[in-house]
Amino acid sequence: MKVQPEVNLIRPLLVVALLGAASVSLASEPRARDLGIPFAFGTPGRLNAITDVPGVEVGQQTLIEGKDVRTGVTVVLPRGKGDAARQSCMGGYFSLNGNGEMTGIHWVEESGLVEGPIAITNTNSVGVVRDAVISYAAKRWPPKSNDWGWTVWSLPIVAETWDGDLNDVYGMHVKPEHLFAAIDGASPGPVAAGGVGGGTGMICYEFKGGIGTASRLLAAKQGGYTVGVLVQANHGLRHQLRVAGIPVGLEIRDGLVRAQDSGSIIIVVATDAPLLPNQAKRLARRAALGLGRTGSVAGNGSGDIFIAFSTANAAAATESRKVVPVEMLPNDQMGPLFEATVGATEEAIINALVAGRTMTGRGGNTVLGMPLERVREILKRHAMLNESAGR
């Protein structure tokens, strides 16, 4: 499968490189706020995306081929793809329900460090993407000096959700070159959402789901820090869905596709606040509360795994030859970060739904995009619609 740099609408093969600030017009895609959906907890950053955290880049490769291939890969680079990518971040993870996979987390737990990219794909492609990260790192980010010749990141962080309803998941269509292209094209700009990258074939609350992102900018008196969230949303049953606290899933019953909660969600939380690993883990836990605000109960069949990292203390997280000073935010000042994480997570999930579009895939299976006007009507009826929002 050849990687194409742009959308090819003529050939049956469509591989779209969604590189953060992609050639695809992101301005034409509505976000939840554009529809008047209100959100609590703070002010979004300039892009309302995880890339509002300075240094963070996102790259995506979307694979659509014939009737059966609907998949891809998304990468979050905590310090970008340049020379700074060698620097670790302090971080932590949290598993709300473990029916899923995120490689490398044993070392995250042990060391308190997030090293290298965080990649998200479909369940059966975790292995090839993991190996591809190692190959990429060996060629592009080798140590500057190491007598043993070891490379970096032999324990990559690669997470997954299952896209087998819309994608030929056993066809192993994600290849190393797709991971390479996603990293090479990563950008600190806008992040495409919905059925793109690793989220191409994903289903959320029985609507078309996928990638979503949002951010929060703390006030100066709270430190002025930024929190950004990216999700790959493939979870939930329709009756559970809440938008702005309103049970819209009870009213919109078209196109139900699941008898039980058998999907998953991966959540990545980034911040520039100076956090120690245990504090980053505390942020990862709070992502569960944002997930709950959209209605999820973390069902038995759902893999709900979250990871958080701080881009502060760059030298301290990487230096191994001497004692180094470390800055940290006192625990008493973490409340605003918790609130920002909960709010950005909720909004990122709803953004994934808003960007989702009806898709037909493997075996003719069709998943409907969330009917945006019906959602607006329901919210308006409950006096929860911000009608002054631009459309």
Side-chain angles (χ1 to χ4, degrees), residues 354-391:
V354 167
R357 296 292 178 268
T358 297
M359 177 178 283
T360 298
R362 183 191 62 81
N365 293 337
T366 297
V367 178
L368 299 179
M370 188 170 71
L372 304 183
E373 286 305 320
R374 286 186 66 186
V375 171
R376 281 174 49 84
E377 291 168 5
I378 294 169
L379 295 185
K380 183 176 182 179
R381 189 180 344 122
H382 290 270
M384 288 298 295
L385 185 68
N386 177 11
E387 298 190 69
S388 65
R391 292 297 317 282

mmCIF file of all heavy atoms in Angstrom, residues 354-391:
data_model
loop_
_atom_site.group_PDB
_atom_site.id
_atom_site.type_symbol
_atom_site.label_atom_id
_atom_site.label_comp_id
_atom_site.label_asym_id
_atom_site.label_seq_id
_atom_site.Cartn_x
_atom_site.Cartn_y
_atom_site.Cartn_z
ATOM 1 N N VAL A 354 -18.648 14.937 16.926
ATOM 2 C CA VAL A 354 -19.084 15.995 16.003
ATOM 3 C C VAL A 354 -18.381 15.859 14.654
ATOM 4 O O VAL A 354 -18.988 16.080 13.599
ATOM 5 C CB VAL A 354 -18.825 17.382 16.631
ATOM 6 C CG1 VAL A 354 -18.960 18.497 15.594
ATOM 7 C CG2 VAL A 354 -19.790 17.626 17.789
ATOM 8 N N ALA A 355 -17.112 15.461 14.678
ATOM 9 C CA ALA A 355 -16.357 15.327 13.431
ATOM 10 C C ALA A 355 -16.625 14.013 12.721
ATOM 11 O O ALA A 355 -16.259 13.857 11.550
ATOM 12 C CB ALA A 355 -14.863 15.463 13.714
ATOM 13 N N GLY A 356 -17.263 13.063 13.409
ATOM 14 C CA GLY A 356 -17.532 11.768 12.788
ATOM 15 C C GLY A 356 -18.513 11.898 11.630
ATOM 16 O O GLY A 356 -19.468 12.667 11.689
ATOM 17 N N ARG A 357 -18.273 11.149 10.581
ATOM 18 C CA ARG A 357 -19.146 11.163 9.419
ATOM 19 C C ARG A 357 -19.599 9.733 9.131
ATOM 20 O O ARG A 357 -18.841 8.786 9.336
ATOM 21 C CB ARG A 357 -18.409 11.710 8.182
ATOM 22 C CG ARG A 357 -17.974 13.164 8.326
ATOM 23 C CD ARG A 357 -19.176 14.103 8.362
ATOM 24 N NE ARG A 357 -18.766 15.486 8.545
ATOM 25 C CZ ARG A 357 -18.655 16.086 9.731
ATOM 26 N NH1 ARG A 357 -18.932 15.417 10.842
ATOM 27 N NH2 ARG A 357 -18.281 17.333 9.825
ATOM 28 N N THR A 358 -20.805 9.583 8.645
ATOM 29 C CA THR A 358 -21.317 8.252 8.318
ATOM 30 C C THR A 358 -20.312 7.511 7.446
ATOM 31 O O THR A 358 -19.808 8.056 6.460
ATOM 32 C CB THR A 358 -22.665 8.363 7.603
ATOM 33 O OG1 THR A 358 -23.618 8.975 8.479
ATOM 34 C CG2 THR A 358 -23.177 6.988 7.193
ATOM 35 N N MET A 359 -20.029 6.261 7.827
ATOM 36 C CA MET A 359 -19.027 5.474 7.112
ATOM 37 C C MET A 359 -19.545 4.065 6.881
ATOM 38 O O MET A 359 -20.121 3.445 7.775
ATOM 39 C CB MET A 359 -17.718 5.425 7.902
ATOM 40 C CG MET A 359 -16.636 4.562 7.256
ATOM 41 S SD MET A 359 -15.061 4.567 8.168
ATOM 42 C CE MET A 359 -14.421 6.184 7.668
ATOM 43 N N THR A 360 -19.335 3.566 5.669
ATOM 44 C CA THR A 360 -19.586 2.173 5.336
ATOM 45 C C THR A 360 -18.252 1.485 5.133
ATOM 46 O O THR A 360 -17.365 2.015 4.457
ATOM 47 C CB THR A 360 -20.443 2.052 4.065
ATOM 48 O OG1 THR A 360 -21.707 2.677 4.295
ATOM 49 C CG2 THR A 360 -20.671 0.597 3.697
ATOM 50 N N GLY A 361 -18.109 0.321 5.737
ATOM 51 C CA GLY A 361 -16.833 -0.373 5.662
ATOM 52 C C GLY A 361 -17.000 -1.863 5.483
ATOM 53 O O GLY A 361 -17.861 -2.312 4.716
ATOM 54 N N ARG A 362 -16.197 -2.615 6.193
ATOM 55 C CA ARG A 362 -16.104 -4.064 6.038
ATOM 56 C C ARG A 362 -17.480 -4.728 6.003
ATOM 57 O O ARG A 362 -18.320 -4.500 6.866
ATOM 58 C CB ARG A 362 -15.288 -4.643 7.197
ATOM 59 C CG ARG A 362 -15.053 -6.151 7.097
ATOM 60 C CD ARG A 362 -14.484 -6.697 8.389
ATOM 61 N NE ARG A 362 -15.395 -6.502 9.506
ATOM 62 C CZ ARG A 362 -16.440 -7.294 9.763
ATOM 63 N NH1 ARG A 362 -16.717 -8.299 8.960
ATOM 64 N NH2 ARG A 362 -17.206 -7.043 10.814
ATOM 65 N N GLY A 363 -17.673 -5.552 4.987
ATOM 66 C CA GLY A 363 -18.909 -6.307 4.863
ATOM 67 C C GLY A 363 -20.149 -5.459 4.648
ATOM 68 O O GLY A 363 -21.265 -5.934 4.861
ATOM 69 N N GLY A 364 -19.971 -4.211 4.256
ATOM 70 C CA GLY A 364 -21.105 -3.325 4.064
ATOM 71 C C GLY A 364 -21.649 -2.735 5.342
ATOM 72 O O GLY A 364 -22.689 -2.059 5.324
ATOM 73 N N ASN A 365 -20.964 -2.953 6.468
ATOM 74 C CA ASN A 365 -21.406 -2.370 7.734
ATOM 75 C C ASN A 365 -21.367 -0.850 7.649
ATOM 76 O O ASN A 365 -20.392 -0.268 7.161
ATOM 77 C CB ASN A 365 -20.513 -2.829 8.888
ATOM 78 C CG ASN A 365 -20.659 -4.314 9.173
ATOM 79 O OD1 ASN A 365 -21.672 -4.918 8.844
ATOM 80 N ND2 ASN A 365 -19.642 -4.904 9.784
ATOM 81 N N THR A 366 -22.425 -0.218 8.135
ATOM 82 C CA THR A 366 -22.516 1.239 8.110
ATOM 83 C C THR A 366 -22.729 1.767 9.516
ATOM 84 O O THR A 366 -23.562 1.248 10.266
ATOM 85 C CB THR A 366 -23.673 1.702 7.213
ATOM 86 O OG1 THR A 366 -23.415 1.291 5.865
ATOM 87 C CG2 THR A 366 -23.824 3.222 7.247
ATOM 88 N N VAL A 367 -21.964 2.787 9.879
ATOM 89 C CA VAL A 367 -22.115 3.470 11.165
ATOM 90 C C VAL A 367 -22.455 4.922 10.876
ATOM 91 O O VAL A 367 -21.770 5.594 10.095
ATOM 92 C CB VAL A 367 -20.840 3.373 12.013
ATOM 93 C CG1 VAL A 367 -21.008 4.143 13.317
ATOM 94 C CG2 VAL A 367 -20.502 1.917 12.295
ATOM 95 N N LEU A 368 -23.525 5.413 11.484
ATOM 96 C CA LEU A 368 -23.992 6.770 11.234
ATOM 97 C C LEU A 368 -23.150 7.800 11.975
ATOM 98 O O LEU A 368 -22.708 7.566 13.105
ATOM 99 C CB LEU A 368 -25.446 6.915 11.686
ATOM 100 C CG LEU A 368 -26.474 6.015 11.005
ATOM 101 C CD1 LEU A 368 -27.858 6.285 11.588
ATOM 102 C CD2 LEU A 368 -26.466 6.220 9.488
ATOM 103 N N GLY A 369 -22.947 8.925 11.334
ATOM 104 C CA GLY A 369 -22.404 10.067 12.041
ATOM 105 C C GLY A 369 -23.474 10.651 12.963
ATOM 106 O O GLY A 369 -24.673 10.548 12.683
ATOM 107 N N MET A 370 -23.060 11.239 14.050
ATOM 108 C CA MET A 370 -24.027 11.827 14.973
ATOM 109 C C MET A 370 -24.796 12.938 14.269
ATOM 110 O O MET A 370 -24.203 13.835 13.683
ATOM 111 C CB MET A 370 -23.305 12.386 16.208
ATOM 112 C CG MET A 370 -24.251 12.841 17.309
ATOM 113 S SD MET A 370 -23.387 13.223 18.871
ATOM 114 C CE MET A 370 -22.548 14.761 18.412
ATOM 115 N N PRO A 371 -26.155 12.907 14.292
ATOM 116 C CA PRO A 371 -26.953 13.934 13.612
ATOM 117 C C PRO A 371 -26.875 15.256 14.371
ATOM 118 O O PRO A 371 -27.546 15.443 15.380
ATOM 119 C CB PRO A 371 -28.359 13.338 13.626
ATOM 120 C CG PRO A 371 -28.387 12.419 14.798
ATOM 121 C CD PRO A 371 -26.999 11.882 14.931
ATOM 122 N N LEU A 372 -26.092 16.158 13.868
ATOM 123 C CA LEU A 372 -25.751 17.367 14.625
ATOM 124 C C LEU A 372 -26.953 18.275 14.852
ATOM 125 O O LEU A 372 -27.104 18.860 15.936
ATOM 126 C CB LEU A 372 -24.629 18.115 13.897
ATOM 127 C CG LEU A 372 -23.361 17.283 13.635
ATOM 128 C CD1 LEU A 372 -22.289 18.150 12.978
ATOM 129 C CD2 LEU A 372 -22.826 16.677 14.923
ATOM 130 N N GLU A 373 -27.811 18.412 13.861
ATOM 131 C CA GLU A 373 -28.972 19.288 14.047
ATOM 132 C C GLU A 373 -29.944 18.716 15.076
ATOM 133 O O GLU A 373 -30.557 19.463 15.837
ATOM 134 C CB GLU A 373 -29.677 19.533 12.715
ATOM 135 C CG GLU A 373 -28.927 20.484 11.797
ATOM 136 C CD GLU A 373 -28.634 21.827 12.473
ATOM 137 O OE1 GLU A 373 -29.504 22.353 13.195
ATOM 138 O OE2 GLU A 373 -27.515 22.341 12.286
ATOM 139 N N ARG A 374 -30.074 17.401 15.115
ATOM 140 C CA ARG A 374 -30.945 16.794 16.127
ATOM 141 C C ARG A 374 -30.374 17.018 17.525
ATOM 142 O O ARG A 374 -31.116 17.268 18.477
ATOM 143 C CB ARG A 374 -31.127 15.303 15.849
ATOM 144 C CG ARG A 374 -32.036 15.015 14.671
ATOM 145 C CD ARG A 374 -32.310 13.545 14.528
ATOM 146 N NE ARG A 374 -33.078 12.999 15.652
ATOM 147 C CZ ARG A 374 -33.348 11.702 15.804
ATOM 148 N NH1 ARG A 374 -32.913 10.833 14.903
ATOM 149 N NH2 ARG A 374 -34.042 11.290 16.835
ATOM 150 N N VAL A 375 -29.066 16.932 17.641
ATOM 151 C CA VAL A 375 -28.432 17.203 18.935
ATOM 152 C C VAL A 375 -28.685 18.646 19.345
ATOM 153 O O VAL A 375 -29.024 18.938 20.505
ATOM 154 C CB VAL A 375 -26.922 16.898 18.879
ATOM 155 C CG1 VAL A 375 -26.222 17.378 20.156
ATOM 156 C CG2 VAL A 375 -26.682 15.403 18.680
ATOM 157 N N ARG A 376 -28.556 19.564 18.402
ATOM 158 C CA ARG A 376 -28.824 20.974 18.705
ATOM 159 C C ARG A 376 -30.267 21.182 19.145
ATOM 160 O O ARG A 376 -30.539 21.923 20.093
ATOM 161 C CB ARG A 376 -28.522 21.839 17.476
ATOM 162 C CG ARG A 376 -27.039 22.123 17.263
ATOM 163 C CD ARG A 376 -26.797 22.861 15.957
ATOM 164 N NE ARG A 376 -27.672 24.003 15.789
ATOM 165 C CZ ARG A 376 -27.450 25.219 16.306
ATOM 166 N NH1 ARG A 376 -26.369 25.434 17.038
ATOM 167 N NH2 ARG A 376 -28.294 26.206 16.077
ATOM 168 N N GLU A 377 -31.182 20.517 18.471
ATOM 169 C CA GLU A 377 -32.594 20.655 18.836
ATOM 170 C C GLU A 377 -32.860 20.155 20.250
ATOM 171 O O GLU A 377 -33.605 20.775 21.019
ATOM 172 C CB GLU A 377 -33.463 19.881 17.835
ATOM 173 C CG GLU A 377 -33.509 20.486 16.447
ATOM 174 C CD GLU A 377 -34.135 19.549 15.435
ATOM 175 O OE1 GLU A 377 -34.622 18.464 15.855
ATOM 176 O OE2 GLU A 377 -34.143 19.879 14.234
ATOM 177 N N ILE A 378 -32.253 19.026 20.595
ATOM 178 C CA ILE A 378 -32.436 18.476 21.937
ATOM 179 C C ILE A 378 -31.855 19.413 22.985
ATOM 180 O O ILE A 378 -32.490 19.698 24.015
ATOM 181 C CB ILE A 378 -31.794 17.081 22.035
ATOM 182 C CG1 ILE A 378 -32.540 16.092 21.134
ATOM 183 C CG2 ILE A 378 -31.794 16.581 23.486
ATOM 184 C CD1 ILE A 378 -31.829 14.767 20.954
ATOM 185 N N LEU A 379 -30.669 19.929 22.739
ATOM 186 C CA LEU A 379 -30.052 20.845 23.699
ATOM 187 C C LEU A 379 -30.863 22.128 23.834
ATOM 188 O O LEU A 379 -31.027 22.664 24.940
ATOM 189 C CB LEU A 379 -28.617 21.170 23.279
ATOM 190 C CG LEU A 379 -27.620 20.009 23.289
ATOM 191 C CD1 LEU A 379 -26.226 20.521 22.960
ATOM 192 C CD2 LEU A 379 -27.605 19.279 24.618
ATOM 193 N N LYS A 380 -31.383 22.612 22.722
ATOM 194 C CA LYS A 380 -32.201 23.831 22.770
ATOM 195 C C LYS A 380 -33.460 23.601 23.599
ATOM 196 O O LYS A 380 -33.865 24.459 24.399
ATOM 197 C CB LYS A 380 -32.563 24.265 21.353
ATOM 198 C CG LYS A 380 -33.360 25.571 21.300
ATOM 199 C CD LYS A 380 -33.601 26.000 19.863
ATOM 200 C CE LYS A 380 -34.356 27.325 19.808
ATOM 201 N NZ LYS A 380 -34.571 27.771 18.406
ATOM 202 N N ARG A 381 -34.074 22.443 23.438
ATOM 203 C CA ARG A 381 -35.272 22.129 24.191
ATOM 204 C C ARG A 381 -35.002 22.104 25.698
ATOM 205 O O ARG A 381 -35.862 22.437 26.503
ATOM 206 C CB ARG A 381 -35.823 20.784 23.735
ATOM 207 C CG ARG A 381 -37.188 20.466 24.311
ATOM 208 C CD ARG A 381 -37.762 19.120 23.865
ATOM 209 N NE ARG A 381 -37.120 18.526 22.726
ATOM 210 C CZ ARG A 381 -36.563 17.303 22.764
ATOM 211 N NH1 ARG A 381 -36.541 16.615 23.885
ATOM 212 N NH2 ARG A 381 -36.032 16.809 21.685
ATOM 213 N N HIS A 382 -33.785 21.737 26.055
ATOM 214 C CA HIS A 382 -33.398 21.694 27.461
ATOM 215 C C HIS A 382 -32.713 22.979 27.918
ATOM 216 O O HIS A 382 -32.111 23.016 28.998
ATOM 217 C CB HIS A 382 -32.475 20.498 27.723
ATOM 218 C CG HIS A 382 -33.176 19.176 27.640
ATOM 219 N ND1 HIS A 382 -33.771 18.579 28.725
ATOM 220 C CD2 HIS A 382 -33.372 18.330 26.583
ATOM 221 C CE1 HIS A 382 -34.298 17.420 28.359
ATOM 222 N NE2 HIS A 382 -34.052 17.241 27.060
ATOM 223 N N ALA A 383 -32.773 24.013 27.091
ATOM 224 C CA ALA A 383 -32.144 25.304 27.397
ATOM 225 C C ALA A 383 -30.647 25.157 27.662
ATOM 226 O O ALA A 383 -30.093 25.842 28.510
ATOM 227 C CB ALA A 383 -32.841 25.959 28.595
ATOM 228 N N MET A 384 -29.996 24.271 26.885
ATOM 229 C CA MET A 384 -28.567 24.052 27.046
ATOM 230 C C MET A 384 -27.786 24.401 25.799
ATOM 231 O O MET A 384 -26.606 24.089 25.691
ATOM 232 C CB MET A 384 -28.301 22.592 27.427
ATOM 233 C CG MET A 384 -28.718 22.240 28.844
ATOM 234 S SD MET A 384 -27.806 23.196 30.100
ATOM 235 C CE MET A 384 -26.142 22.590 29.861
ATOM 236 N N LEU A 385 -28.409 25.055 24.830
ATOM 237 C CA LEU A 385 -27.723 25.397 23.590
ATOM 238 C C LEU A 385 -27.253 26.832 23.632
ATOM 239 O O LEU A 385 -28.025 27.762 23.956
ATOM 240 C CB LEU A 385 -28.665 25.210 22.400
ATOM 241 C CG LEU A 385 -28.038 25.424 21.009
ATOM 242 C CD1 LEU A 385 -27.036 24.313 20.705
ATOM 243 C CD2 LEU A 385 -29.129 25.450 19.938
ATOM 244 N N ASN A 386 -25.988 27.053 23.300
ATOM 245 C CA ASN A 386 -25.458 28.406 23.180
ATOM 246 C C ASN A 386 -25.765 28.909 21.775
ATOM 247 O O ASN A 386 -25.002 28.672 20.837
ATOM 248 C CB ASN A 386 -23.959 28.394 23.440
ATOM 249 C CG ASN A 386 -23.330 29.762 23.271
ATOM 250 O OD1 ASN A 386 -24.017 30.769 23.146
ATOM 251 N ND2 ASN A 386 -22.004 29.798 23.252
ATOM 252 N N GLU A 387 -26.874 29.564 21.618
ATOM 253 C CA GLU A 387 -27.333 29.949 20.282
ATOM 254 C C GLU A 387 -26.541 31.099 19.682
ATOM 255 O O GLU A 387 -26.689 31.415 18.503
ATOM 256 C CB GLU A 387 -28.817 30.295 20.322
ATOM 257 C CG GLU A 387 -29.674 29.112 20.738
ATOM 258 C CD GLU A 387 -31.161 29.385 20.548
ATOM 259 O OE1 GLU A 387 -31.597 29.473 19.379
ATOM 260 O OE2 GLU A 387 -31.880 29.494 21.567
ATOM 261 N N SER A 388 -25.694 31.712 20.466
ATOM 262 C CA SER A 388 -24.852 32.782 19.935
ATOM 263 C C SER A 388 -23.599 32.257 19.270
ATOM 264 O O SER A 388 -22.834 33.022 18.673
ATOM 265 C CB SER A 388 -24.474 33.755 21.056
ATOM 266 O OG SER A 388 -23.657 33.118 22.022
ATOM 267 N N ALA A 389 -23.348 30.948 19.386
ATOM 268 C CA ALA A 389 -22.153 30.380 18.780
ATOM 269 C C ALA A 389 -22.231 30.468 17.272
ATOM 270 O O ALA A 389 -23.309 30.326 16.675
ATOM 271 C CB ALA A 389 -21.990 28.917 19.215
ATOM 272 N N GLY A 390 -21.085 30.683 16.645
ATOM 273 C CA GLY A 390 -21.049 30.752 15.188
ATOM 274 C C GLY A 390 -21.317 29.405 14.568
ATOM 275 O O GLY A 390 -20.893 28.382 15.068
ATOM 276 N N ARG A 391 -22.040 29.411 13.441
ATOM 277 C CA ARG A 391 -22.343 28.155 12.727
ATOM 278 C C ARG A 391 -21.636 28.135 11.389
ATOM 279 O O ARG A 391 -21.528 29.126 10.749
ATOM 280 C CB ARG A 391 -23.852 28.047 12.503
ATOM 281 C CG ARG A 391 -24.666 27.848 13.744
ATOM 282 C CD ARG A 391 -24.370 26.550 14.472
ATOM 283 N NE ARG A 391 -24.248 25.434 13.563
ATOM 284 C CZ ARG A 391 -25.286 24.787 12.989
ATOM 285 N NH1 ARG A 391 -26.513 25.142 13.248
ATOM 286 N NH2 ARG A 391 -25.075 23.776 12.169
#
